[in-house]
Amino acid sequence: DAKTTQPNSMESNEEEPVHLPCNHSTISGTDYIHWYRQLPSQGPEYVIHGLTSNVNNRMASLAIAEDRKSSTLILHRATLRDAAVYYCILSRLGYSGAGSYQLTFGKGTKLSVIP
Amino acid sequence: KAGVTQTPRYLIKTRGQQVTLSCSPISGHRSVSWYQQTPGQGLQFLFEYFSETQRNKGNFPGRFSGRQFSNSRSEMNVSTLELGDSALYLCASSLAGAERETQYFGPGTRLLVL
C-alpha cells in the first residue's frame, strides 16, 4: 500500500502562512493526493485534492512536486479555527477493483495555532 | 443540503453484546464508507457500499458487517463486542466512491464497550 509520511505536529502563529509537508515516495501514477482535516470532536473534513498540478481552492493550496513523491498543503493565513489534525491521503483502488476507492489515513499532523 | 447523519451519537454496551449503527448519506450519494477511529490505530477503513453491494472491505474480523438499503442509508453491525471495539465509528458518503470524489464524513458514533 502506498504510504504517506507527515510530521507529528507543527505550530503556527495566527495569520501567518502554514506549509504542511507530506512525503509519498511510493505513489503510483493514478493515485490522487487528498488532504482532509479533523477538528476536535468532529469527523474529518475535506480540504483539497490533486493529481499532478498545483491546486487552489478557498480553503488552501496544494503544491505537488514534479516527481509526485511529495506535496505541501498551504494555508495562506492560519486562524484559530484551523487548529486540527491534517491528513495527507492517497486514494487507492479497493481490492475488488470495482471502482471503489478507499482513503487510507496515516497519523496526520497536529497543527496548533498560536494567537 | 443536509450533511451525513449518524445515529446514535453515543452508545454504551457490554462485552458480548451486539450493536447496530446507522448512517444516512447526503441526498444523491450512493457510496457509503465506514471507518473506525481509535487513539492507538487511528482511522481505519472498514467497508464501502454502493448500490446495496459491498465493493470494498478493510482488514477487520467477520464480527463487523454492514449493509446498505435501496435509499442508500447504511447500517453497520458489530457482534460479540470486545473491549477493543470501543471507538469512534465514522461513516462517509460520496456520489459514487470514485478516486477524485470528496468524501463527506458524519460526526460519528462513539461506542464504549464495558
Side-chain angles (χ1 to χ4, degrees):
Chain A
D1 272 352
K3 287 180 64 174
T4 61
T5 305
Q6 299 176 253
N8 289 333
S9 62
M10 289 183 66
E11 273 188 358
S12 172
N13 292 319
E14 197 176 8
E15 299 194 4
E16 289 189 355
V18 184
H19 290 234
L20 297 164
C22 180
N23 287 318
H24 29 77
S25 58
T26 59
I27 191 170
S28 73
T30 56
D31 286 339
Y32 275 78
I33 302 160
H34 298 256
W35 284 81
Y36 282 73
R37 71 181 185 181
Q38 188 172 21
L39 281 65
S41 303
Q42 294 187 27
E45 171 189 38
Y46 169 80
V47 178
I48 200 166
H49 76 278
L51 184 61
T52 56
S53 305
N54 294 345
V55 184
N56 299 296
N57 65 23
R58 62 176 181 81
M59 284 182 73
S61 295
L62 176 60
I64 301 173
E66 201 169 325
D67 62 6
R68 300 209 329 125
K69 293 186 176 182
S70 66
S71 61
T72 302
L73 177 71
I74 303 164
L75 305 179
H76 297 287
R77 285 178 73 241
T79 69
L80 297 178
R81 287 172 294 178
D82 292 323
V85 178
Y86 286 78
Y87 296 98
C88 168
I89 302 157
L90 303 181
S91 59
R92 177 52 63 88
L93 186 62
Y95 76 100
S96 68
S100 166
Y101 289 80
Q102 68 192 61
L103 300 178
T104 302
F105 287 81
K107 298 293 186 185
T109 297
K110 183 174 183 179
L111 175 66
S112 301
V113 180
I114 303 165
Chain B
K1 236 184 211 183
V4 176
T5 58
Q6 293 187 244
T7 56
R9 292 292 312 278
Y10 303 92
L11 207 48
I12 300 175
K13 291 285 188 179
T14 56
R15 277 184 301 173
Q17 287 187 311
Q18 74 165 15
V19 67
T20 299
L21 312 180
S22 180
C23 172
S24 292
I26 290 173
S27 177
H29 286 192
R30 295 169 65 192
S31 169
V32 174
S33 298
W34 287 89
Y35 295 83
Q36 180 197 63
Q37 185 172 29
T38 59
Q41 299 298 319
L43 271 152
Q44 293 184 286
F45 172 77
L46 280 157
F47 29 65
E48 187 256 359
Y49 286 86
F50 179 80
S51 292
E52 301 178 66
T53 300
Q54 185 185 89
R55 289 195 303 186
N56 199 357
K57 188 177 187 301
N59 189 24
F60 278 82
R63 300 185 297 106
F64 291 82
S65 63
R67 59 177 176 168
Q68 186 180 36
F69 302 94
S70 58
N71 61 359
S72 295
R73 191 177 69 84
S74 178
E75 288 181 347
M76 68 162 282
N77 184 276
V78 187
S79 62
T80 319
L81 283 166
E82 301 177 359
L83 296 180
D85 297 332
S86 294
L88 180 66
Y89 290 89
L90 293 154
C91 85
S93 76
S94 67
L95 284 168
E99 74 275 19
R100 287 167 290 181
E101 291 178 1
T102 297
Q103 290 200 17
Y104 295 87
F105 284 80
T109 294
R110 189 165 295 280
L111 171 66
L112 177 61
V113 181
L114 301 176

